[in-house]
């Protein structure tokens, strides 16, 4: 199992800087997701690993070996395309055999390995079909078999679930994660879907404007986002400007922070707020909008800030939301759960 | 894994009147169909019909239906020799255009901006002059001791004796290949310029080099364009009579040249029409064969679910 390391990778198209000093480390056998909105550079980064994009600076290392100078056909990293790019003029078996055929492996070995690979994705009986005769989910499995049959060192997947409908997507995500764990191959996913990133990854790299803003395990990204962009992109977040004085925020419920005195931003997840009636220490406000979602009740509470604060509370059986216009107070469930960041990290 | 399928909608029934009014989308094509029927199908049927009647001073003699002209043509060994010559000239010229056109179309697909536009202009511009003019131009280039080619080769000392190219099958092939080149480039260009480059990236990623990728992915996936271009250029090469006549020097006859000579020079319209029937019929058969082979080679593009 080979580590994948990306070292200060940069790429510019004309005046457009698409990647700036990207660093990433994926330990052997782990799954890292590149997550970000469209245009953040995540696909360009994935394509540079495969060698389809020539970076202006930086290195890509696989298993300690620099592959930056190798042409794409000598890199031993497999790439699964967004629409799979199965060769339409070849059958499923010929598609899977393609990489072995161009390597001139003996015919018997090709047949055996193609059978194994198709068995791995449960498509043994479909070798004679053309890609057009397969459903989207089957095509994706063919693409994965075609990639894995070559026993690559790294598996790269560009939004592999995009073309699938919602139900199938969840099944395939879980199946793929199990398959990757069984084979133990270092894998890099690109996605803009945060739920997908949470399901699939050991580590998530949140990208924004050509830079990796944070690289950490999914729950750490959720609990301890390093910028307000990360906080807002992964889950929902209330972002409030605050002042820090003597190691605490100037909020109704002071939050301790090691930050120096001065302006800062505080990030509170909706589920870390609770709505309490009456006038206690907290943010006084008025219910602006309420939705009951079965397991939770979602409130928008107007607290006199430019944007209403969002609250998500567990719903007790039989209870309903408070009426619109009710005067309430918002309290932090846990002051540790609130995140205080410097103003510099507050770009959204 | 099951696919989500929609239940088929119950078939809608329309009255016959409604069906005619809707016409299955045929209505927009009616002006073109009428035009072709009047100005193409009718003249061709008339012309071919001449092969089955006796003509007397430009008039069809009453009740003179006869197969005599057809059997006369079909039993003439000369006619079969000319048919064979037409066939191989067309096949060789078409194959040559394919090999010359493919790199041009491929290069076009890799060019961008102004270079792409310039190449397209270069590809199309020969069509601005008539084939007749271009055939004469080849006479100037290939002809005799004072032709451009011989003059250049003689003056640079590459050869001592002038080459005899004009009035040979070589000249016919050269002319035909050049004059029909755009008809091969354009269909190839359509498939190559619009192709999805991810298939080539996938091939590289799977370990194939640039050359293997070209022959295993680019060429097979462009087969629909190759078949279209081959059928088109074969048809115009097989039936062309100007190029063999001018560049073949009068003594180089093909089936198409025979049709021209019987009709315009000998004024035997019935024999000319019978020859034209043979030319048209055999050309249709070849086009059918080419498209059938093409459909077999590209069966992956039309597979049922």
């Amino acid at each position: 199992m080979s580590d994948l390391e990306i070292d200060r990778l940069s790429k510019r198209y004309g005046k457009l800087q698409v990647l700036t000093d990207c660093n990433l480390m994926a330990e052997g056998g782990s799954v890292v997701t590149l997550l970000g909105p469209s245009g953040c550079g995540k696909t360009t980064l994935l394509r540079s690993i495969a060698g389809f994009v020539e970076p202006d600076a930086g290195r890509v290392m696989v298993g300690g070996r620099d592959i930056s100078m190798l042409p794409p056909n000598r890199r031993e990293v497999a790439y699964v395309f967004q629409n799979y790019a199965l060769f339409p003029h070849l059958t499923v078996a010929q598609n899977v055999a393609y990489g072995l055929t161009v390597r001139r492996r003996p015919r018997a070995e090709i047949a055996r390995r193609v059978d194994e690979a198709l068995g791995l994705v449960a498509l043994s009986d479909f070798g004679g079909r053309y890609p057009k005769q397969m459903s989207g989910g089957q095509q994706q499995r063919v693409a994965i078999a075609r990639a894995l049959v070559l026993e690559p060192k790294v598996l790269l997947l560009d939004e592999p679930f995009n073309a699938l409908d919602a139900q199938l997507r969840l099944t395939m995500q879980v199946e793929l994660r199990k398959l990757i764990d069984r084979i133990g191959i270092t894998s890099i996913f690109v996605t803009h879907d945060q739920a997908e990133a949470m399901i699939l990854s050991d580590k998530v790299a949140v990208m924004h404007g050509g830079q990796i803003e944070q690289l950490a395990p999914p729950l750490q990204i959720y609990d301890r986002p390093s910028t307000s962009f990360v906080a807002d992109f992964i889950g929902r977040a209330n972002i409030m400007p605050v002042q820090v004085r003597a190691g605490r925020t100037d909020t109704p419920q002071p939050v301790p922070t090691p930050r120096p005195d001065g302006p800062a931003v505080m990030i509170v997840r909706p589920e870390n707020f609770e709505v309490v009636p009456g006038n206690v220490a907290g943010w006084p406000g008025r219910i602006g909008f309420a939705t009951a979602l079965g397991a939770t009740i979602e409130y928008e509470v107007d607290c006199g800030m430019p944007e209403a604060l969002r609250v998500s509370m567990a719903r007790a059986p039989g209870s309903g939301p408070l009426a619109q216009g009710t005067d309430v107070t918002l309290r932090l469930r846990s002051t540790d759960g609130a995140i205080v960041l410097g103003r510099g990290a507050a770009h959204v | 894994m099951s696919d989500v399928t929609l239940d088929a909608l119950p078939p809608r029934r329309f009255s016959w009147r409604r069906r005619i009014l809707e016409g299955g989308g045929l209505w927009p094509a009616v002006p073109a169909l009428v035009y072709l029927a009047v100005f193409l199908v009718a003249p061709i049927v008339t012309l071919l019909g001449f092969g089955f009647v006796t003509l007397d001073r430009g008039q069809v003699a009453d009740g003179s239906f006869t197969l005599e002209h057809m059997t006369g043509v079909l039993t003439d060994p000369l006619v079969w020799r000319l048919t064979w010559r037409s066939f191989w000239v067309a096949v060789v010229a078409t194959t040559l255009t394919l090999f010359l056109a493919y790199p041009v179309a491929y290069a076009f697909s890799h060019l961008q901006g102004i270079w792409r536009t310039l190449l397209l202009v270069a590809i199309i511009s020969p069509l601005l002059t008539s084939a007749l003019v271009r055939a004469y131009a080849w006479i100037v280039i290939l002809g005799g001791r004072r032709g451009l080619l011989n003059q250049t080769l003689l003056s640079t000392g590459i050869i001592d004796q002038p080459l005899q190219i004009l009035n040979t099958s070589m000249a016919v092939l050269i002319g035909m290949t050049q004059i029909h080149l755009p008809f091969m480039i354009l269909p190839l260009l359509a498939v190559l310029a619009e192709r999805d480059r991810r298939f080539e990236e996938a091939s590289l990623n799977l370990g194939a080099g640039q050359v293997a990728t070209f022959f295993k992915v680019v060429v097979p996936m462009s087969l629909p364009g190759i078949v279209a271009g081959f059928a088109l250029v074969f048809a115009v090469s097989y039936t062309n009579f100007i190029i063999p006549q001018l560049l073949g020097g009068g003594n180089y006859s093909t089936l198409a040249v025979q049709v021209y000579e019987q009709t315009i020079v000998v004024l035997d319209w019935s024999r000319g029409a019978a020859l034209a029937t043979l030319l048209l019929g055999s050309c249709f058969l070849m086009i059918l064969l080419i498209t059938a082979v093409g459909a077999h080679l590209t069966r992956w593009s039309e597979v049922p679910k």
Side-chain angles (χ1 to χ4, degrees):
Chain A
M1 288 193 262
S2 312
D3 292 351
L4 170 75
E5 193 182 347
I6 293 170
D7 181 24
R8 284 170 300 147
L9 205 72
S10 294
K11 177 68 188 175
R12 164 196 292 276
Y13 286 120
K15 283 194 178 138
L16 189 68
Q17 186 80 37
V18 273
L19 293 177
T20 312
D21 274 343
C22 289
N23 291 299
L24 186 143
M25 174 75 194
E27 287 81 19
S30 72
V31 178
V32 174
T33 298
L34 306 179
L35 177 67
S38 55
C40 70
K42 56 190 192 295
T43 301
T44 308
L45 184 55
L46 196 75
R47 290 171 59 80
S48 339
I49 303 173
F52 302 147
V53 169
E54 215 171 294
D56 302 327
R59 292 184 303 169
V60 178
M61 320 267 288
V62 171
R65 180 165 157 251
D66 186 354
I67 62 166
S68 316
M69 293 299 146
L70 292 178
N73 54 329
R74 310 247 312 268
R75 291 200 172 196
E76 296 177 86
V77 298
Y79 197 101
V80 175
F81 288 81
Q82 199 175 126
N83 294 317
Y84 318 131
L86 298 176
F87 303 124
H89 60 292
L90 301 178
T91 63
V92 166
Q94 287 167 337
N95 263 283
V96 177
Y98 188 88
L100 299 168
T101 314
V102 296
R103 283 178 176 73
R104 300 185 198 286
R105 307 305 306 168
R107 195 171 290 188
E109 183 197 329
I110 293 179
R112 181 177 53 79
R113 287 173 68 175
V114 168
D115 272 353
E116 277 173 18
L118 285 176
L120 201 63
V121 294
L123 285 175
S124 297
D125 298 334
F126 293 84
R129 294 221 193 164
Y130 285 102
K132 271 198 177 179
Q133 296 169 293
M134 313 280 279
S135 70
Q138 290 171 330
Q139 290 187 19
Q140 189 199 46
R141 279 141 71 196
V142 176
I144 289 165
R146 182 175 76 172
L148 292 180
V149 77
L150 298 171
E151 293 166 3
K153 298 203 168 103
V154 177
L155 180 61
L156 308 172
L157 303 104
D158 182 13
E159 310 218 11
F161 304 103
N162 245 18
L164 306 181
D165 57 68
Q167 277 181 316
L168 189 58
R169 194 176 296 185
L170 189 60
T171 321
M172 289 303 291
Q173 283 164 357
V174 175
E175 288 302 313
L176 190 56
R177 178 70 228 222
K178 285 186 194 163
L179 182 65
I180 288 171
D181 284 344
R182 199 150 32 125
I183 303 170
I185 184 172
T186 315
S187 306
I188 313 289
F189 274 87
V190 156
T191 185
H192 60 257
D193 178 350
Q194 53 139 319
E196 191 171 304
M198 300 298 250
I199 294 170
L200 287 166
S201 347
D202 297 314
K203 279 201 282 187
V204 176
V206 183
M207 292 189 68
H208 179 52
Q211 283 177 301
I212 296 179
E213 297 235 331
Q214 190 172 5
L215 174 67
L219 285 182
Q220 195 181 324
I221 296 248
Y222 189 84
D223 291 341
R224 293 280 139 201
S226 63
T227 67
S228 57
F229 172 82
V230 174
D232 204 40
F233 196 76
I234 311 286
R236 294 178 307 160
N238 295 298
I239 300 172
M240 298 176 274
V242 294
Q243 294 287 330
V244 176
R245 281 199 198 92
R248 342 180 73 197
T249 59
D250 66 340
T251 46
Q253 283 171 284
V255 174
T257 172
R259 293 206 163 273
D261 286 7
V265 287
M266 188 166 87
I267 292 161
V268 181
R269 296 284 182 198
E271 66 272 16
N272 193 25
F273 267 137
E274 61 182 337
V275 169
V276 292
N279 198 1
V280 288
W283 286 261
R286 180 169 288 172
I287 305 274
F289 191 76
T291 337
L293 292 176
T296 60
I297 296 175
E298 311 287 320
Y299 290 111
E300 283 179 20
V301 183
D302 181 9
C303 295
M305 292 182 211
E307 278 185 63
L309 296 179
R310 288 181 296 184
V311 181
S312 176
M313 288 174 71
R315 188 180 72 98
S319 70
L322 293 169
Q324 205 172 327
T326 312
D327 285 319
V328 292
T329 303
L330 291 193
R331 288 184 53 84
L332 288 173
R333 285 173 183 280
S334 136
T335 47
D336 294 341
I339 304 129
V340 182
L341 299 171
R343 275 279 159 89
H347 58 88
V348 176
Chain B
M1 192 153 315
S2 73
D3 284 40
V4 182
T5 56
L6 288 173
D7 287 327
L9 291 169
R12 291 195 288 172
R13 281 167 212 272
F14 295 127
S15 65
W16 61 269
R17 204 172 299 176
R18 179 110 183 250
R19 266 190 225 180
I20 289 180
L21 279 176
E22 294 204 340
L26 208 61
W27 284 112
V30 163
L33 289 178
V34 169
Y35 181 89
L36 288 177
V38 172
F39 294 106
L40 183 74
V41 178
I44 286 184
V45 168
T46 312
L47 174 74
L48 298 185
F50 287 167
F52 297 92
V53 292
T54 305
L55 293 169
D56 184 19
R57 283 176 223 138
Q59 295 287 319
V60 179
D62 279 345
S64 65
F65 175 80
T66 173
L67 291 175
E68 168 197 335
H69 310 297
M70 267 327 280
T71 48
V73 162
L74 291 177
T75 53
D76 186 343
L78 174 71
V79 169
W80 287 110
R81 260 187 29 224
L82 295 181
T83 309
W84 173 242
R85 184 186 269 172
S86 290
F87 174 78
W88 82 256
V89 165
V91 167
V92 173
T94 307
T95 310
L96 285 174
T97 57
L98 176 60
F99 283 108
L100 292 175
Y102 206 97
V104 177
Y106 187 72
F108 177 88
S109 72
H110 284 268
L111 290 177
Q112 280 179 345
I114 183 72
W115 297 111
R116 186 175 255 223
T117 312
L118 285 177
L119 183 59
L120 187 64
V121 169
I123 291 165
I124 294 179
S125 57
L127 297 174
L128 298 176
T129 52
S130 86
L132 195 64
V133 174
R134 278 179 286 159
Y136 275 113
W138 277 112
I139 295 182
V140 176
I141 294 168
L142 301 175
R145 173 174 282 276
R146 298 219 300 224
L148 277 176
L149 181 72
N150 277 328
Q151 241 178 20
T152 312
L153 291 180
L154 286 170
S155 63
T156 52
I158 295 173
I159 52 171
D160 316 321
Q161 291 297 312
L163 297 173
Q164 179 58 47
I165 295 176
L166 194 64
N167 303 342
T168 67
S169 54
M170 181 74 88
V172 178
L173 285 176
I174 290 174
M176 214 171 249
T177 302
Q178 187 269 321
I179 288 166
H180 294 155
L181 200 54
F183 300 117
M184 186 64 91
I185 296 178
L186 291 174
L188 290 177
L189 205 126
V191 293
L192 285 175
E194 295 302 315
R195 74 185 197 275
D196 187 342
R197 301 295 166 83
R198 273 175 310 184
F199 292 110
E200 283 143 80
E201 288 178 349
S203 170
L204 289 175
N205 182 254
L206 293 167
Q210 295 282 358
V211 177
T213 298
F214 178 79
F215 285 108
K216 281 171 167 282
V217 174
V218 179
V219 171
M221 286 184 68
S222 67
L223 266 173
I226 294 177
V227 172
F230 203 91
L232 190 63
V233 174
F234 177 85
V236 289
S237 302
Y238 187 67
T239 53
N240 191 305
F241 65 93
I242 296 174
I243 300 166
Q245 230 188 2
L246 290 181
L247 300 180
N251 53 8
Y252 193 84
S253 191
T254 64
L255 191 55
V257 171
Q258 272 299 301
V259 174
Y260 171 81
E261 283 182 350
Q262 287 297 319
T263 311
I264 304 296
V265 183
V266 185
L267 288 176
D268 185 348
W269 287 14
S270 290
R271 189 174 164 84
L275 285 165
T277 308
L278 176 64
L279 182 72
L280 212 63
S282 52
C283 188
F284 260 122
L285 280 180
M286 263 309 286
I287 300 294
L288 279 179
L289 183 71
I290 293 168
T291 47
V293 170
H296 180 74
L297 290 176
T298 59
R299 61 195 181 281
W300 46 268
S301 66
E302 296 293 339
V303 285
K305 271 271 181 193

